[in-house]
Amino acid sequence: MNNIKFSILLSLLLLSQFSFSQSTDELMPYMQDFKSISANNTVTITSYEKGGAHYVYVGGFKGVDVFSMDSEGKLTPVSTQELYKEEGPARGMVADNINGTDFLFVANKHGNAIETFKILEDGSLDRMYLTMDTDETHLGIAITLQVVHMDAASYLFIGGLEETPGLSSFKIENDGKLTHVQSMKDDDKIFTDGIIGMFTHKINGKTYLYTGGFQDNGVSSFEVKDNGTFKNINNIGDNTTDRYLTGAYPVTGVKLGENYYIIVGHRHHKYYDKSSGFIKNPDFVYHGDGVSVFKIDKKGALVPHYVLKDDENTKLQGQTRIEIVSVKDNEAVLAVGTRDDASIQLVKLDVNGILSPINYLETGFSIYYGLRSHKIGDSNFLIAGSNRFDLRKVATYRILPKIDRKGKVLRHIVNLKYKEGATEEQVNEAVQAFLNLKNEIPEIEHIEWGVNDSKEGASKGLTHVFNLTFKDDHGREIYLFHEAHIRLVGKIGPIIADVLVMDYWTEK
């Protein structure tokens, strides 16, 4: 039970037994691994390749966990980095190479600061600088970072939330130190109150930066000059009919053919408690959830182009992260992480800027800002975590052609051995708690159990067997990360001496 990660291994080994469709429309995320983190939750995730090795940085309250990641998506812990004030949380992390040196920049939300770390040879971190907020900058509640490379230098653009909203630019010196260049205070014209997403396009020799404004419900475009200064180009706000920008959240972009696109998601303000005071303008109209596509014109301005609306066949409620998974043959595959649908929805953007759904996976946990795409060789991965404080896990997923599960069900077999000191009463309580999961997790189709009665002497001391049935991949994911399952693991883990978990697909 305390090593539930083994529950997915067998089915992953059997992937090669299924015939795959090669169509983009049939892609699906499949979990590869998950590991515990030391931070209290997962707020944000980034990844980086250094010297042929691949590293994952998982930030949350209290610190950043560093993992190495292999070509199968398996994670190995490397180190843990404490944050300024020992709190954080880490937000908007971005890793990049500045004139030969690898750095990780971390927005320390509650510290009102930006932390600069040097990435060492093994992927671990060494703090170099701490850039504090001032009266001239907008680093209060700093949450989003974007590195912009220009001909003469590289710049770090920073967006914040709540206290002092606006957009700031800092020059990144060769040693990682940040030198302030320009700050633009939020006003009624631009949408920079709560910049949770940023993206950069380079078009015809010019560099453009695009931001989303969570609190003021819109998107803005800026031209970035070679010296790191910037000017506003255009701004598009939400409406009550055909725009889906209330609570503008993730922002990303892609070039397909000769067309440049910006894709914007949102977590609508309806998902927040109006009485909390967090939402500055509680007078809003909810007309659904949707992912918006903007086309970029010759001047770098945003032009509304298309909206993929949520329906009964998609999982787009509460979009908090959008990642470009792959770009090939004039089409891009994107992953949309959702907080309220607790899912990863794959979508396709074609060369004409039309967004269409592919498949989704119900992850079993809400995704806040913790979703990252990463490529190793020819394999595309997603790395995800949750803002839930009870979970404290990070998971990897490989994007593969969807497996045909028609007519099959999944058996999840848990074999346990209790510690010698466990009393009969404790064991009975543990058994009943396990069986009670059926009442708390509807995705469990059936559960049965028994005490080992084998006479072959090959049971390795395992005494109790629990057999759970799920009808699909979603059910298993929801079970693994369900609050009730996490509570059970925490409760009975101290009396478990050993566990063996295996999954297999079989005919109904």
Side-chain angles (χ1 to χ4, degrees):
M1 281 297 299
N2 56 348
N3 287 313
I4 57 176
K5 64 182 181 181
F6 292 110
S7 62
I8 60 172
L9 294 182
L10 183 60
S11 62
L12 294 172
L13 292 174
L14 296 176
L15 287 175
S16 60
Q17 296 184 15
F18 296 87
S19 60
F20 295 135
S21 166
Q22 298 303 310
S23 171
T24 299
D25 297 331
E26 292 301 317
L27 291 176
M28 180 80 177
Y30 288 99
M31 188 194 291
Q32 304 296 293
D33 192 16
F34 63 86
K35 288 290 190 300
S36 297
I37 59 173
S38 63
N40 288 339
N41 64 348
T42 301
V43 177
T44 186
I45 295 173
T46 195
S47 59
Y48 194 65
E49 180 180 356
K50 180 180 173 68
H54 299 262
Y55 298 102
V56 173
Y57 298 92
V58 184
F61 279 89
K62 297 192 181 299
V64 177
D65 289 280
V66 184
F67 298 88
S68 63
M69 179 172 161
D70 69 13
S71 59
E72 299 299 319
K74 303 302 177 185
L75 298 170
T76 301
V78 173
S79 64
T80 298
Q81 176 62 50
E82 186 179 87
L83 291 173
Y84 168 64
K85 288 189 175 181
E86 299 182 8
E87 183 176 13
R91 290 294 299 262
M93 298 190 300
V94 59
D96 214 319
N97 183 278
I98 307 299
N99 289 332
T101 303
D102 299 309
F103 293 104
L104 177 73
F105 302 97
V106 178
N108 188 315
K109 180 180 176 183
H110 288 166
N112 296 333
I114 308 300
E115 301 192 49
T116 300
F117 297 95
K118 182 179 179 180
I119 301 176
L120 305 180
E121 291 304 312
D122 65 349
S124 59
L125 303 173
D126 182 20
R127 182 186 286 109
M128 305 299 292
Y129 290 99
L130 189 66
T131 305
M132 304 298 298
D133 192 23
T134 69
D135 292 338
E136 296 179 293
T137 60
H138 300 285
L139 309 185
I141 318 295
I143 53 176
T144 304
L145 306 178
Q146 178 77 31
V147 174
V148 179
H149 296 289
M150 305 299 289
D151 291 337
S154 296
Y155 300 90
L156 186 67
F157 280 76
I158 302 165
L161 181 69
E162 299 174 35
E163 293 183 353
T164 55
L167 179 65
S168 293
S169 169
F170 287 77
K171 181 182 178 182
I172 307 172
E173 308 293 347
N174 289 345
D175 59 359
K177 183 178 179 180
L178 302 179
T179 302
H180 183 233
V181 175
Q182 180 188 353
S183 289
M184 184 178 292
K185 184 179 180 180
D186 183 65
D187 58 27
D188 293 337
K189 177 184 176 182
I190 59 176
F191 296 105
T192 55
D193 188 348
I195 300 177
I196 304 181
M198 286 194 280
F199 187 81
T200 305
H201 269 311
K202 291 184 179 291
I203 305 174
N204 297 327
K206 293 185 177 181
T207 300
Y208 301 99
L209 179 72
Y210 302 92
T211 67
F214 172 81
Q215 289 283 9
D216 45 13
N217 309 320
V219 290
S220 292
S221 61
F222 302 87
E223 182 180 352
V224 180
K225 300 297 184 178
D226 200 52
N227 62 0
T229 60
F230 55 97
K231 67 175 183 178
N232 181 231
I233 299 176
N234 80 320
N235 311 280
I236 298 176
D238 191 44
N239 62 23
T240 60
T241 55
D242 60 349
R243 293 183 191 165
Y244 292 77
L245 296 174
T246 299
Y249 215 109
V251 177
T252 190
V254 66
K255 179 187 177 185
L256 294 176
E258 298 302 315
N259 300 318
Y260 293 85
Y261 296 106
I262 288 292
I263 304 96
V264 181
H266 70 126
R267 187 174 192 237
H268 201 283
H269 290 171
K270 70 158 284 189
Y271 297 115
Y272 296 84
D273 181 5
K274 285 188 177 183
S275 64
S276 69
F278 173 65
I279 300 301
K280 295 180 179 179
N281 182 12
D283 184 21
F284 55 78
V285 175
Y286 175 67
H287 58 281
D289 292 81
V291 181
S292 301
V293 179
F294 295 86
K295 196 171 183 179
I296 308 305
D297 68 14
K298 294 180 179 180
K299 296 181 179 180
L302 292 157
V303 179
H305 184 73
Y306 184 80
V307 176
L308 172 63
K309 300 177 183 179
D310 186 47
D311 60 27
E312 66 275 7
N313 298 313
T314 57
K315 295 288 184 180
L316 295 176
Q317 292 191 17
Q319 308 140 42
T320 52
R321 192 69 177 170
I322 302 178
E323 288 286 302
I324 305 295
V325 174
S326 63
V327 180
K328 185 179 180 181
D329 299 331
N330 283 333
E331 68 177 27
V333 175
L334 293 77
V336 183
T338 55
R339 184 170 180 177
D340 298 275
D341 270 337
S343 301
I344 296 173
Q345 170 79 59
L346 297 182
V347 296
K348 179 178 68 175
L349 183 70
D350 68 19
V351 70
N352 297 313
I354 304 302
L355 202 59
S356 57
I358 303 176
N359 291 305
Y360 63 79
L361 177 68
E362 297 181 74
T363 58
F365 55 82
S366 58
I367 295 173
Y368 185 35
Y369 199 59
L371 183 67
R372 170 73 173 181
S373 64
H374 190 82
K375 187 172 183 177
I376 301 179
D378 294 327
S379 298
N380 294 306
F381 295 94
L382 291 170
I383 310 151
S386 177
N387 61 312
R388 274 173 43 193
F389 277 73
D390 69 316
L391 188 58
R392 301 179 69 175
K393 298 285 190 298
V394 58
T396 62
Y397 303 83
R398 189 174 180 184
I399 308 302
L400 294 167
K402 187 176 182 179
I403 302 170
D404 183 6
R405 307 289 200 193
K406 186 177 181 180
K408 295 182 180 293
V409 294
L410 175 64
R411 308 289 191 203
H412 175 75
I413 314 299
V414 181
N415 303 274
L416 295 175
K417 175 183 178 181
Y418 296 96
K419 292 180 179 178
E420 292 184 5
T423 66
E424 182 179 353
E425 181 181 4
Q426 285 178 312
V427 171
N428 290 337
E429 288 181 355
V431 169
Q432 290 305 313
F434 203 137
L435 296 177
N436 191 54
L437 289 179
K438 177 68 170 65
N439 300 321
E440 299 186 81
I441 307 175
E443 286 73 19
I444 299 175
E445 295 281 302
H446 179 69
I447 185 170
E448 64 182 34
W449 78 286
V451 176
N452 178 42
D453 193 36
S454 175
K455 310 303 181 185
E456 298 179 75
S459 303
K460 300 185 184 302
L462 299 169
T463 59
H464 290 64
V465 181
F466 297 86
N467 189 331
L468 287 70
T469 299
F470 301 97
K471 67 178 181 180
D472 54 29
D473 293 274
H474 308 292
R476 175 175 56 186
E477 304 294 312
I478 292 171
Y479 155 80
L480 285 175
F481 299 119
H482 196 281
E483 290 90 340
H485 187 214
I486 298 298
R487 286 196 304 269
L488 175 68
V489 173
K491 179 179 179 179
I492 74 173
I495 66 170
I496 300 299
D498 201 2
V499 60
L500 174 65
V501 180
M502 298 185 72
D503 292 7
Y504 66 94
W505 292 88
T506 187
E507 302 296 328
K508 290 184 180 179

